[in-house]
């Protein structure tokens, strides 16, 4: 894999093969985006004989850990997370050099900042025949979004749609809005990035082993959330809901597992202690054993304010977990209320009632989980990859 070209003062690794078709994937970060979602597509392109490249910021704690499978050339572009940060001007110049000199047949961009800069940087290349795809993993303007989101993001996406050959949306609300109001050459609906449903099968012995490893017994009731610790993911509502249940006898067996990392970790730990539930809340950090964590849990609580099409929710469904979640875009694509999950008002009191009701009704939990596992089969990665392959080949 070639890290960077001499343009950026680095020694290149690998070699470019003349005559091959070339694809460039662009996203703001490597570890938490490229590595999470796009390796199957890089592999697919290599298997078709294409040369693959990635332009993204190295967000590994140790930069040497950044090793992207199925990637012939990697460009470390210093994208900032917020679009107005001045560092994005440098990222634009660097990415424009990569695109102008790379002669790519196809550019597939992701994440708001990565996609914004990539589409601006690819304008000249598009005139020479390069096709540009943008996957919106959740448009920032949506029903119920703050006015500031509409004022900032809608004009940007409306303008950039004119330099987008294919705009891919992953939930129905975004698809309908993009089809009516954003004038990309094509607007497509793809059911998410796909998950490997075979990874999340029930395994009772593994469930018991993981519970013992974490220090829990069979009688404990484990509530799981897999999400970054940010304000949008709203772990606070779950913490406050547990606090509401302190007077119930069932509370002694309830434990809340938070799998993920983020800037709110210290704040959430302090909040759990202040609420008097610190011994019932377990911060597991970034994990590589997510299938086992889903498998050993009893319920998945997911109360964010905004989503595109949440992978964690799909994984929980595939594991056969009953779901309690907010009724928002993306969640509504996946959950049929009362059938494969339960929509809940985003308040501690409402969530506390739902948690207690489901704790007391194991038969209902089992039925919800069974239906969830069936529903999410439509989002299996094999189905999604076939849809994406047809889009790629159509270009």
């Amino acid at each position: 894999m070639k890290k960077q070209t001499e343009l950026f003062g680095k020694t290149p690794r690998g070699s470019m093969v003349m005559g091959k078709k070339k694809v460039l994937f662009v996203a703001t970060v490597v570890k938490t985006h490229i590595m999470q979602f796009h390796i199957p597509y890089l592999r697919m392109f290599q298997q078709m004989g294409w040369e693959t490249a990635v332009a993204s910021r190295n967000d590994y704690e140790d930069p040497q850990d950044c090793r992207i499978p199925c990637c012939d050339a990697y460009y470390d572009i210093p994208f900032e997370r917020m679009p107005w940060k001045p560092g994005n001007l440098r990222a634009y110049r660097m990415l424009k050099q990569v695109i102008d000199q790379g002669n790519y047949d196809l550019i597939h961009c992701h994440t708001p900042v990565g996609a914004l800069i990539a589409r601006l940087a690819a304008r000249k290349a598009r005139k020479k025949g390069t096709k540009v795809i943008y996957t919106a993993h959740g448009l920032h303007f949506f029903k119920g979004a703050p006015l500031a989101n509409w004022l900032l993001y809608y004009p940007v996406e409306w303008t950039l749609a004119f330099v987008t050959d294919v705009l891919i949306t992953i939930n129905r609300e975004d698809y309908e809005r993009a089809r009516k109001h954003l004038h990309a050459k094509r607007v497509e609906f793809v059911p998410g990035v796909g998950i490997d449903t075979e990874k999340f099968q029930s395994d009772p012995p593994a469930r018991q082993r993981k519970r013992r490893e974490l220090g829990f017994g069979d009688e404990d009731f484990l509530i799981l959330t897999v999400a970054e610790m940010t304000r949008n993911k709203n772990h606070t509502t779950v913490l406050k809901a547990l606090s509401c249940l302190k007077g119930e006898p069932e509370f002694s067996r309830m434990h809340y597992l938070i799998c993920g990392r983020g800037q709110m970790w210290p704040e959430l730990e302090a909040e759990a202690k202040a609420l008097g539930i610190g011994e019932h809340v377990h911060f597991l950090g970034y994990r590589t054993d997510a299938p086992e964590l889903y498998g050993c849990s009893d319920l998945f609580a997911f109360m964010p304010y905004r989503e595109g099409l949440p992978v964690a929710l799909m994984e929980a469904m595939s594991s056969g977990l009953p779901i309690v979640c907010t009724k928002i875009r993306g969640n509504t694509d996946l959950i049929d209320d009362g059938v494969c999950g339960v929509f809940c008002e985003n308040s501690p009191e409402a969530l506390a009632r739902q948690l207690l009701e489901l704790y007391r009704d194991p038969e209902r939990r089992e039925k919800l989980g069974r239906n969830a596992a069936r529903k999410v089969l439509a989002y299996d990665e094999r189905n999604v990859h076939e849809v994406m392959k047809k889009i790629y080949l159509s270009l």
Side-chain angles (χ1 to χ4, degrees), residues 192-206:
V193 295
I195 64 164
D196 183 358
T197 57
E198 294 179 358
K199 284 175 57 178
F200 301 94
Q201 301 301 313
S202 175
D203 185 347

Side-chain angles (χ1 to χ4, degrees), residues 34-303:
I34 293 292
M35 295 296 290
Q36 292 289 327
F37 304 125
H38 304 305
I39 303 306
Y41 298 110
L42 291 168
R43 181 178 299 112
M44 181 184 75
F45 276 107
Q46 280 197 342
Q47 290 172 348
M48 293 193 301
W50 285 53
E51 186 163 335
T52 59
V54 169
S56 188
R57 175 166 57 83
N58 184 347
D59 59 330
Y60 281 85
E61 289 80 4
D62 182 352
Q64 297 302 314
D65 290 338
C66 183
R67 299 181 180 90
I68 308 172
C70 307
C71 176
D72 297 311
Y74 167 55
Y75 303 94
D76 188 354
I77 306 295
F79 294 116
E80 299 276 3
R81 185 160 186 162
M82 296 299 155
W84 52 84
K85 292 283 188 178
N88 282 321
L89 292 175
R90 179 168 175 255
Y92 167 79
R93 290 192 293 267
M94 292 174 67
L95 184 59
K96 190 172 189 305
Q97 285 183 302
V98 170
I99 292 173
D100 287 346
Q101 297 186 10
N103 297 314
Y104 293 99
D105 298 276
L106 184 65
I107 297 172
H108 194 167
C109 51
H110 304 261
T111 65
V113 171
L116 183 156
I117 294 174
R119 286 181 286 174
L120 289 175
R123 287 173 296 171
K124 180 179 176 181
R126 284 187 74 247
K127 294 177 182 179
K128 297 180 180 180
T130 299
K131 302 297 183 184
V132 176
I133 302 175
Y134 168 43
T135 295
H137 294 265
L139 294 170
H140 279 64
F141 45 94
F142 53 93
K143 185 178 179 181
L147 178 61
N149 284 33
W150 284 89
L151 294 175
L152 176 62
Y153 292 104
Y154 181 78
V156 171
E157 289 297 343
W158 186 87
T159 302
L160 290 177
F162 290 99
V163 291
T164 305
D165 294 288
V166 182
L167 170 58
I168 293 174
T169 56
I170 63 173
N171 60 66
R172 291 294 178 182
E173 181 182 325
D174 283 353
Y175 174 69
E176 293 300 330
R177 181 165 289 112
R179 192 170 59 87
K180 293 177 181 177
H181 302 293
L182 301 181
H183 303 288
K185 282 193 173 182
R186 284 166 55 189
V187 176
E188 299 280 357
F189 170 76
V190 176
V193 295
I195 64 164
D196 183 358
T197 57
E198 294 179 358
K199 284 175 57 178
F200 301 94
Q201 301 301 313
S202 175
D203 185 347
R207 171 186 171 88
Q208 292 180 338
R209 285 196 302 272
K210 180 57 68 172
R211 281 182 165 242
R212 287 196 296 270
E213 176 189 319
L214 295 171
F216 301 113
D218 292 339
E219 68 282 2
D220 289 314
F221 186 75
L222 304 187
I223 302 163
L224 176 67
T225 296
V226 178
E228 283 186 308
M229 282 180 260
T230 62
R231 296 202 182 280
N232 176 59
K233 298 302 182 182
N234 189 28
H235 300 78
T236 292
T237 291
V238 188
L239 295 179
K240 290 180 178 178
L242 286 175
S243 178
C244 292
L245 295 172
K246 285 191 296 184
E248 302 290 342
E250 292 87 349
F251 176 75
S252 64
R253 292 299 181 188
M254 288 186 177
H255 292 271
Y256 181 34
L257 313 183
I258 301 177
C259 180
R261 59 183 183 178
Q263 70 268 23
M264 285 192 66
W265 188 333
E267 183 178 331
L268 292 169
E269 278 191 312
E271 183 173 18
K273 291 178 182 177
L275 291 169
I277 58 172
E279 293 183 357
H280 292 259
V281 181
H282 309 271
F283 294 87
L284 304 184
Y286 178 80
R287 306 285 294 210
T288 58
D289 58 348
E292 297 172 64
L293 292 173
Y294 290 118
C296 80
S297 299
D298 298 290
L299 184 145
F300 193 74
F302 194 62
M303 305 298 290

Side-chain angles (χ1 to χ4, degrees), residues 243-368:
S243 178
C244 292
L245 295 172
K246 285 191 296 184
E248 302 290 342
E250 292 87 349
F251 176 75
S252 64
R253 292 299 181 188
M254 288 186 177
H255 292 271
Y256 181 34
L257 313 183
I258 301 177
C259 180
R261 59 183 183 178
Q263 70 268 23
M264 285 192 66
W265 188 333
E267 183 178 331
L268 292 169
E269 278 191 312
E271 183 173 18
K273 291 178 182 177
L275 291 169
I277 58 172
E279 293 183 357
H280 292 259
V281 181
H282 309 271
F283 294 87
L284 304 184
Y286 178 80
R287 306 285 294 210
T288 58
D289 58 348
E292 297 172 64
L293 292 173
Y294 290 118
C296 80
S297 299
D298 298 290
L299 184 145
F300 193 74
F302 194 62
M303 305 298 290
Y305 297 112
R306 174 181 59 82
E307 283 295 332
L309 193 73
V311 171
L313 183 54
M314 290 188 280
E315 291 175 346
M317 294 172 69
S318 187
S319 301
L321 280 178
I323 309 294
V324 178
C325 66
T326 44
K327 188 177 182 180
I328 58 171
R329 177 194 62 174
N331 291 0
T332 55
D333 284 59
L334 296 168
I335 298 299
D336 299 318
D337 190 27
V339 178
C340 57
V342 178
F343 288 133
C344 181
E345 176 190 335
N346 205 339
S347 74
E349 296 76 16
L351 179 58
R353 288 193 297 271
Q354 291 289 357
L355 295 178
L356 194 58
E357 287 177 11
L358 287 168
Y359 181 106
R360 292 172 173 172
D361 195 344
E363 289 185 7
R364 187 185 181 205
R365 294 202 311 269
E366 183 180 355
K367 183 178 179 181
L368 290 172

